[in-house]
Amino acid sequence: MSAELLAQAGPATAVLSALRRSFDAAAAGLADVCSVGGRLDDRLLDDRQVAAFELAWASAELLAAETWVASLDAASADIDIRLALAFAVEAAASVLDRLAVVDDEAGTAAGDLYAIRDDARWIGLRRAAGSAAALEVAGRLVAASGGEVGGIALDEQHALAQAAFRRFAAEVVAPQAEAIHRRDLTVPEPLLRQMREMGVFGLSVPECHGGSAPDDRDDTTLTVVVTEALSEASLAAAGSLITRPEILTRALLAGGTEAQKADWLPRLAAGDPLCAIAITEPDYGSDVAALALRGTRVPGGWRLNGAKTWCTFAGKAGVLMVVTRTDPDRGLGHGGLSLLLVEKPSHDGHEFTCLQEGGGSLNGRAIPTIGYRGMHSFDLAFDDYFVPDANVIGGEAGLGKGFYYAMAGMVGGRMQTAARACGVMRAALRAAAGYGAVRKVFGRPLGDFQLTLAKLARMGARLGACRRLAYTVAGIVDEGDGRMAAAQVKLLACRSAEIVTREALQIHGGMGYAEESAVSRYFVDARVLSIFEGAEETLALKVIARGLLDRALPQAPCRADSGGTRDSGRDRRSVPSSPRRGLAP
Amino acid sequence: MSAELLAQAGPATAVLSALRRSFDAAAAGLADVCSVGGRLDDRLLDDRQVAAFELAWASAELLAAETWVASLDAASADIDIRLALAFAVEAAASVLDRLAVVDDEAGTAAGDLYAIRDDARWIGLRRAAGSAAALEVAGRLVAASGGEVGGIALDEQHALAQAAFRRFAAEVVAPQAEAIHRRDLTVPEPLLRQMREMGVFGLSVPECHGGSAPDDRDDTTLTVVVTEALSEASLAAAGSLITRPEILTRALLAGGTEAQKADWLPRLAAGDPLCAIAITEPDYGSDVAALALRGTRVPGGWRLNGAKTWCTFAGKAGVLMVVTRTDPDRGLGHGGLSLLLVEKPSHDGHEFTCLQEGGGSLNGRAIPTIGYRGMHSFDLAFDDYFVPDANVIGGEAGLGKGFYYAMAGMVGGRMQTAARACGVMRAALRAAAGYGAVRKVFGRPLGDFQLTLAKLARMGARLGACRRLAYTVAGIVDEGDGRMAAAQVKLLACRSAEIVTREALQIHGGMGYAEESAVSRYFVDARVLSIFEGAEETLALKVIARGLLDRALPQAPCRADSGGTRDSGRDRRSVPSSPRRGLAP
């Protein structure tokens, strides 16, 4: 059976390769019309946002399909072959549409796209892997899979961690998740204690500093494993707890003095204090260069004045990493920012006030949200709040480098966010499959109907593609690469979580809309994913599209020479691996 | 300017006409493979659910595009021409994809689809009306439109009603909406009193029975106008209040005795008592034929035993229309159901118990939901609850006809639900445009960026298409037709509301996720729309697709004779108006 299915991997690879060539040509064309004198021009980029957005999305979908299809071999399970090919069909159809937009905007010829669409291999693939009959079979496999999709093979250490954290998530976190969400509680101290004991907060801290990460390399796979497992039980009360220490740990590793590393890292690893990250300001969301919270030098340290917002876990945290403008010259943009470690008492509840002896104050107010409850996201107001010099990351030498230190954690943050999305999707998919098995409509189990099975298949294919990509990119990140791919998998997984939770809720019918059903929580929780850790639009335009177009630039001037462009275009991959083989390590 | 734009209406009409022919051929092909001996076969239909679902969706999108484009003329405003054509582009692309699925499943040739896709008029239309530049212009018009999209022209009476209810919604309802939602309050009595005074509950009741509807015909347009206006301020605390009295009123008009009409209609029109509709049961969602709540005949009336669920407003209501199985022979299906009017005291709050002197009881418990709060939807438990014979709609002659009486209100219910979706979309669109104007990112107003403008344009196009279709179908319903079209506009508008509110929230960024912003409420409220009043899947499969295939049947046997099928296929329209002209009256 596998062999027969696997035979479609060839046509799928051919279709994806052709799409990759069209993608490269479209990217080169768009880079051409967005550049002046061989350099990208901000105004021209702004004039092509629609096309750039489509390009970014096409890159993420194509990469996910390539990565999964490239991993298929004779040893692959039926479910993975079926879902990978089903995803390839969906992704290819979407990429075709998106590239048509880019071609229209860039003025590049869309002939290749027409050729792909009319190609017998594409038509055959659609019928073999995307037909209702194929989805019906795939849906049954998904329903029986327990969410094990994507063909993830972990080594023993990671498999043990996965098993341990899944058990903890199911037995300890899940039973508390509904109450924390519905009563908007703060993550309870006993739960945090157990997570401290399991080493949750030290996953990114090297062993030599008291954590569990290897001293000589990163272990992004482990953070992805743990984050996914915990997010399946609760996005906010468990799955998101690791993101903040990871960002702060990486900032300290990137810029901290030896004394700061020795002082902070073991405590962060122990989860004592807990930490939070304050970047966003009320008037500046994703526009980091414009941040305005001001640090003024005073004897022995700095006084902070200004506001931050959406600072998640700021109440419970004992230390906040605050991106602070320490150079008043706003023309410096990123270059005037530093990272200050603001210490404060830990507070439960939704509001707090910290008064310092010298007259400084810090006020926090939790912003009520439709989901992602438990950690609470705070508005913060700093009024002459004093921070000693010792708490400037990197000390005097770290002044003005805050943006770069903060960025050190962004790749990990995006990987974790992709993993969080995968965890929520897994939970939603399993809930939908479970409900379909027990709910009867028109005299049969809901999960027996073709439409339900097709929904489950598509949900499973989407989850599988995101998981496969997330775990693959995690390995690449550990090799020091994968910055672009981390943004791509964040983009894809977060929107996918919206789609999968929507469908899971729909399968539940009215029950899905009731707060008593977990799937209603998955739905509102999932909605935050495309907003935070780089809003979808910012990520797509400023990180992914900009990066893709930058890479496409050198080739752009000879765009008219289409054959040459396309061939050499293949080398300008958006991922650091060989073209036809996807990302398989 | 208009003339130049309007020139694209020709190509758009040509593209939609070609799609209509392909649609008819696909429907005929699917009907053929789903039928035995010229009749649709349930098992075969179940085996083709995926294709049927796509067919239903294609029918709704195509109808909406046809209807709007057919309405364009030299007097049309720029914004309507632009949005109608932009919607036609989106709808046509979607219909092409959906029909390809149907053709694959039905085994019909997809050659026509390829021809459309390659047609210069289609390519030209896409570039003229769907390009980033075109969307940018359209987006600016949408931002300035205040949500007035769809080219709706009302007569004086309806325009006055619209103005009055919009003012009431903005000045009275809107300021209370957030508190009602966030504190899960019951719609406050003073608000209900004002709505009573405005005649909200008598819109479907003929004047001769104390309402405001004409005695000789329906005025669906008026209910659509009022429902949309109120829903813009609050789906649950205002916009949905009319649905229940409409359904009960129509059931009484369809089956009630003269005494019942004379007794109940004036009181319902006055909103005293308020009413609720109890159809759904815990084990049976959209499967009405299987309903089990049992009525047992006793001297003078009936004793009810069993459960209902999702009975919205049951607490506040003084009378419930309860679909009851009065004939114990479950083999009768629909034929064993009757409508009983269950009187009870009105309760505020989330739980109630009604004890009768004879020992009967009725318990209600509000189901907490993520949105659509204010009316509360109740689980109901009937235990020997007594209902007098006088409260059986239609009396002895009405026994067994409950399903048909209930159905009399379903078309109106679906029209109102489409209007509710339009109201929520209008609110979300206006909020997004307003936020885009004031929020600055990267040094410019968010609403100035191309991507935001394109989003606004697409949202506006979708809302305009739904409004245009809803108002057009309302006129057809008043002429006694439009059952299928009412289902189609419900399907399209409800899913569109999910899409539009999702984008509106995204434009707000983090603020959109905060409960303090109205758009977060629009988002969670919109999610209920595809679930209630006929769940999306049930509506698409059992009402729309089934109806379409039934109509397509007579032609099905000569499917192989493709030329003939396609030509004559044009006559088997899914709407009761002339083929190429859409639904324009």
Side-chain angles (χ1 to χ4, degrees):
Chain A
M1 188 59 171
S2 291
E4 198 179 306
L5 288 170
L6 198 55
Q8 282 297 326
T13 304
V15 167
L16 295 175
S17 297
L19 279 173
R20 175 58 67 183
R21 288 190 293 276
S22 295
F23 178 90
D24 287 341
L30 189 59
D32 190 26
V33 298
C34 291
S35 58
V36 176
R39 297 187 56 166
L40 293 177
D41 178 87
D42 283 339
R43 198 184 53 76
L44 293 174
L45 282 168
D46 276 354
D47 287 348
R48 306 284 178 171
Q49 281 193 338
V50 167
F53 192 69
E54 297 295 331
L55 188 78
W57 269 102
S59 78
E61 291 165 344
L62 185 54
L63 179 65
E66 286 172 338
T67 302
W68 202 0
V69 170
S71 78
L72 300 178
D73 61 28
S76 299
D78 268 19
I79 184 173
D80 287 308
I81 301 172
R82 286 188 179 277
L83 293 184
L85 296 176
F87 181 78
V89 168
E90 284 225 5
S94 174
V95 170
L96 277 168
D97 288 346
R98 296 185 190 281
L99 292 184
V101 173
V102 179
D103 281 332
D104 277 356
E105 297 299 317
T108 37
D112 280 5
L113 299 180
Y114 289 95
I116 295 169
R117 239 179 26 195
D118 294 340
D119 192 299
R121 285 170 296 187
W122 166 232
I123 295 166
L125 175 67
R126 263 180 43 205
R127 292 197 176 146
S131 69
L135 294 177
E136 209 175 315
V137 175
R140 288 191 197 282
L141 294 172
V142 168
S145 71
E148 285 310 319
V149 294
I152 312 299
L154 298 175
D155 62 26
E156 193 187 346
Q157 179 216 346
H158 291 130
L160 285 172
Q162 185 182 66
F165 279 96
R166 282 188 175 171
R167 195 165 50 239
F168 176 73
E171 293 174 3
V172 179
V173 180
Q176 307 181 55
E178 183 186 326
I180 294 170
H181 169 70
R182 292 183 61 194
R183 296 163 58 197
D184 202 10
L185 304 176
T186 303
V187 189
E189 194 54 46
L191 183 54
L192 289 168
R193 191 182 329 116
Q194 283 168 288
M195 284 198 261
R196 284 189 189 98
E197 283 162 11
M198 291 186 82
V200 161
F201 302 100
L203 291 174
S204 307
V205 177
E207 285 182 345
C208 64
H209 288 298
S212 62
D215 290 338
D216 55 341
R217 58 186 172 80
D218 293 330
D219 190 353
T220 306
T221 301
L222 183 61
T223 60
V224 166
V225 161
V226 175
T227 298
E228 187 192 40
L230 293 176
S231 299
E232 200 176 329
S234 170
L235 176 70
S240 298
L241 286 167
I242 311 178
T243 315
R244 273 137 282 276
E246 157 134 18
I247 293 172
L248 177 49
T249 296
R250 291 194 188 272
L252 282 165
L253 290 172
T257 62
E258 287 310 311
Q260 286 172 331
K261 290 184 211 173
D263 176 24
W264 285 102
L265 291 175
R267 292 158 58 205
L268 291 172
D272 182 19
L274 299 164
C275 66
I277 309 295
I279 301 179
T280 304
E281 297 183 6
D283 291 329
Y284 305 99
S286 299
D287 184 4
V288 175
L291 295 175
L293 182 124
R294 200 174 69 247
T296 308
R297 206 189 273 271
V298 293
W302 301 76
R303 290 221 177 257
L304 269 51
N305 283 283
K308 293 282 179 185
T309 189
W310 296 108
C311 181
T312 301
F313 219 33
K316 199 76 187 167
V319 61
L320 316 178
M321 179 187 106
V322 179
V323 178
T324 308
R325 187 162 296 281
T326 47
D327 189 314
D329 177 4
R330 295 196 59 178
L332 288 173
H334 295 136
L337 301 173
S338 307
L339 300 186
L340 272 60
L341 296 175
V342 171
E343 293 178 81
K344 62 175 271 297
S346 173
H347 291 269
D348 279 339
H350 295 70
E351 286 191 71
F352 65 84
T353 298
C354 310
L355 299 175
Q356 291 181 315
E357 288 189 4
S361 72
L362 168 60
N363 285 282
R365 186 193 70 100
I367 305 166
T369 50
I370 58 173
Y372 192 48
R373 296 171 181 165
M375 305 176 75
H376 315 312
S377 295
F378 285 76
D379 275 329
L380 299 178
F382 293 85
D383 187 10
D384 272 343
Y385 201 81
F386 178 77
V387 181
D389 280 325
N391 283 18
V392 177
I393 293 187
E396 200 67 22
L399 290 175
K401 296 185 185 145
F403 174 73
Y404 307 98
Y405 298 161
M407 283 300 110
M410 288 302 141
V411 170
R414 284 172 192 149
M415 291 308 302
Q416 280 194 31
T417 307
R420 288 190 271 179
C422 287
V424 173
M425 277 191 270
R426 256 180 67 88
L429 178 62
R430 297 179 70 182
Y435 191 79
V438 298
R439 172 75 177 178
K440 289 202 175 167
V441 288
F442 300 104
R444 283 165 60 187
L446 175 61
D448 243 20
F449 286 94
Q450 188 187 61
L451 189 55
T452 312
L453 289 165
K455 282 176 190 268
L456 291 174
R458 291 200 179 106
M459 293 157 74
R462 199 166 263 281
L463 169 58
C466 293
R467 295 190 80 209
R468 182 82 211 171
L469 187 58
Y471 280 90
T472 306
V473 175
I476 295 170
V477 168
D478 287 346
E479 289 162 20
D481 214 329
R483 177 171 290 267
M484 164 80 79
Q488 288 166 316
V489 67
K490 193 276 182 190
L491 186 77
L492 181 67
C494 293
R495 180 72 84 96
S496 293
E498 292 181 52
I499 295 168
V500 168
T501 55
R502 189 268 171 200
E503 284 295 76
L505 191 156
Q506 188 69 19
I507 287 173
H508 282 72
M511 272 311 300
Y513 200 66
E515 291 190 294
E516 287 157 0
S517 80
V519 78
S520 72
R521 174 166 49 88
Y522 306 148
F523 174 73
V524 289
D525 277 356
R527 188 61 191 85
V528 79
L529 295 164
S530 293
I531 297 174
F532 68 11
E533 296 289 337
E536 181 174 286
E537 292 77 7
T538 307
L539 208 60
L541 296 178
K542 303 282 176 183
V543 180
I544 300 172
R546 177 137 203 154
L548 291 168
L549 295 176
D550 245 342
R551 292 183 194 181
L553 258 186
Q555 212 60 36
C558 47
R559 178 176 62 90
D561 174 15
S562 64
T565 303
R566 275 184 208 116
D567 285 342
S568 49
R570 270 187 251 164
D571 298 324
R572 298 190 314 280
R573 293 293 312 288
S574 58
V575 291
S577 69
S578 61
R580 303 284 179 92
R581 311 291 309 164
L583 276 173
Chain B
M1 189 59 173
S2 292
E4 197 181 307
L5 288 170
L6 197 55
Q8 282 298 325
T13 305
V15 168
L16 295 175
S17 297
L19 279 174
R20 176 57 69 183
R21 289 192 292 276
S22 294
F23 178 90
D24 287 342
L30 189 59
D32 190 27
V33 298
C34 291
S35 59
V36 176
R39 297 187 56 166
L40 293 177
D41 179 87
D42 284 338
R43 198 184 53 77
L44 292 175
L45 283 169
D46 276 353
D47 287 347
R48 306 284 179 171
Q49 281 193 337
V50 167
F53 192 69
E54 297 294 330
L55 188 79
W57 269 103
S59 78
E61 291 166 344
L62 184 54
L63 179 64
E66 286 172 338
T67 302
W68 203 0
V69 170
S71 77
L72 299 179
D73 59 29
S76 299
D78 268 20
I79 184 173
D80 287 309
I81 302 172
R82 286 189 179 277
L83 294 184
L85 296 176
F87 181 77
V89 169
E90 284 224 8
S94 174
V95 171
L96 276 168
D97 288 345
R98 296 186 191 282
L99 292 184
V101 173
V102 179
D103 281 333
D104 276 356
E105 296 300 317
T108 37
D112 281 5
L113 299 180
Y114 289 96
I116 296 169
R117 237 181 25 194
D118 294 340
D119 192 300
R121 286 170 296 187
W122 165 233
I123 295 165
L125 175 68
R126 261 179 44 205
R127 291 196 177 146
S131 69
L135 295 177
E136 208 175 318
V137 176
R140 288 191 196 284
L141 294 172
V142 167
S145 71
E148 285 310 317
V149 295
I152 312 299
L154 298 176
D155 61 27
E156 194 187 347
Q157 179 217 345
H158 290 130
L160 285 172
Q162 185 182 64
F165 279 96
R166 281 189 177 171
R167 196 166 48 241
F168 175 73
E171 293 174 4
V172 180
V173 180
Q176 307 180 54
E178 183 186 326
I180 294 170
H181 168 70
R182 292 183 60 192
R183 296 162 58 197
D184 201 10
L185 306 175
T186 304
V187 189
E189 193 55 46
L191 183 55
L192 289 168
R193 191 181 329 116
Q194 284 167 286
M195 284 198 260
R196 284 189 189 99
E197 284 162 11
M198 291 185 83
V200 160
F201 302 100
L203 292 174
S204 308
V205 178
E207 285 181 347
C208 63
H209 288 298
S212 62
D215 290 338
D216 56 341
R217 58 184 172 81
D218 293 330
D219 190 353
T220 305
T221 302
L222 183 61
T223 60
V224 166
V225 161
V226 176
T227 298
E228 187 192 39
L230 293 176
S231 298
E232 201 176 330
S234 171
L235 176 70
S240 297
L241 286 166
I242 312 179
T243 314
R244 272 139 281 276
E246 157 134 20
I247 292 172
L248 177 49
T249 295
R250 291 194 188 274
L252 282 165
L253 290 172
T257 63
E258 287 309 312
Q260 286 172 331
K261 290 184 212 173
D263 176 24
W264 284 102
L265 290 176
R267 292 159 57 205
L268 290 172
D272 181 20
L274 298 164
C275 66
I277 308 296
I279 301 178
T280 305
E281 297 183 4
D283 291 330
Y284 306 98
S286 299
D287 184 5
V288 175
L291 294 176
L293 182 124
R294 199 174 70 247
T296 308
R297 207 188 271 271
V298 294
W302 300 78
R303 289 221 177 258
L304 269 49
N305 284 283
K308 293 281 180 187
T309 189
W310 296 109
C311 182
T312 302
F313 218 34
K316 199 77 187 166
V319 61
L320 316 178
M321 179 187 107
V322 180
V323 178
T324 308
R325 187 163 295 282
T326 48
D327 189 314
D329 178 3
R330 296 197 58 179
L332 289 173
H334 295 136
L337 301 173
S338 308
L339 300 187
L340 272 59
L341 296 175
V342 171
E343 294 179 81
K344 62 173 272 298
S346 172
H347 291 268
D348 280 338
H350 295 71
E351 285 191 71
F352 65 83
T353 297
C354 310
L355 298 176
Q356 292 181 317
E357 289 190 5
S361 72
L362 169 59
N363 285 283
R365 186 194 69 100
I367 306 166
T369 49
I370 58 173
Y372 192 48
R373 297 170 181 166
M375 305 176 74
H376 314 312
S377 295
F378 286 76
D379 275 330
L380 299 177
F382 293 84
D383 187 10
D384 271 344
Y385 202 81
F386 178 77
V387 179
D389 279 325
N391 283 18
V392 177
I393 293 186
E396 201 67 23
L399 290 175
K401 297 185 184 145
F403 174 74
Y404 307 98
Y405 299 161
M407 282 300 109
M410 287 302 140
V411 170
R414 284 173 193 149
M415 291 308 301
Q416 280 194 33
T417 307
R420 288 190 271 180
C422 288
V424 174
M425 276 191 271
R426 256 180 67 87
L429 178 61
R430 297 179 70 183
Y435 191 78
V438 297
R439 171 74 176 177
K440 288 201 175 166
V441 287
F442 299 103
R444 285 165 60 188
L446 176 62
D448 243 20
F449 285 94
Q450 189 187 60
L451 188 56
T452 312
L453 289 165
K455 282 176 188 270
L456 290 174
R458 292 200 179 106
M459 293 156 74
R462 198 166 265 280
L463 169 58
C466 293
R467 295 190 80 210
R468 181 84 212 170
L469 188 58
Y471 281 90
T472 306
V473 175
I476 295 170
V477 169
D478 287 345
E479 290 162 18
D481 213 330
R483 177 172 290 269
M484 165 80 79
Q488 288 165 315
V489 67
K490 193 276 183 190
L491 186 76
L492 181 66
C494 293
R495 181 72 84 96
S496 292
E498 293 181 52
I499 295 168
V500 168
T501 55
R502 189 267 171 202
E503 284 294 75
L505 192 156
Q506 187 69 20
I507 286 173
H508 282 72
M511 273 311 299
Y513 200 66
E515 292 189 295
E516 287 157 1
S517 80
V519 78
S520 72
R521 173 166 51 87
Y522 307 148
F523 174 74
V524 290
D525 277 356
R527 188 61 192 86
V528 79
L529 295 163
S530 293
I531 297 174
F532 67 11
E533 296 289 336
E536 180 174 287
E537 292 77 8
T538 307
L539 207 60
L541 296 178
K542 303 282 176 183
V543 180
I544 301 172
R546 177 136 203 154
L548 292 168
L549 295 176
D550 245 342
R551 293 182 194 180
L553 259 185
Q555 210 61 34
C558 47
R559 179 176 60 91
D561 174 15
S562 65
T565 303
R566 276 184 206 116
D567 284 341
S568 50
R570 269 186 253 166
D571 297 324
R572 299 189 314 281
R573 293 294 311 288
S574 58
V575 291
S577 69
S578 62
R580 303 284 179 93
R581 313 290 310 161
L583 276 174

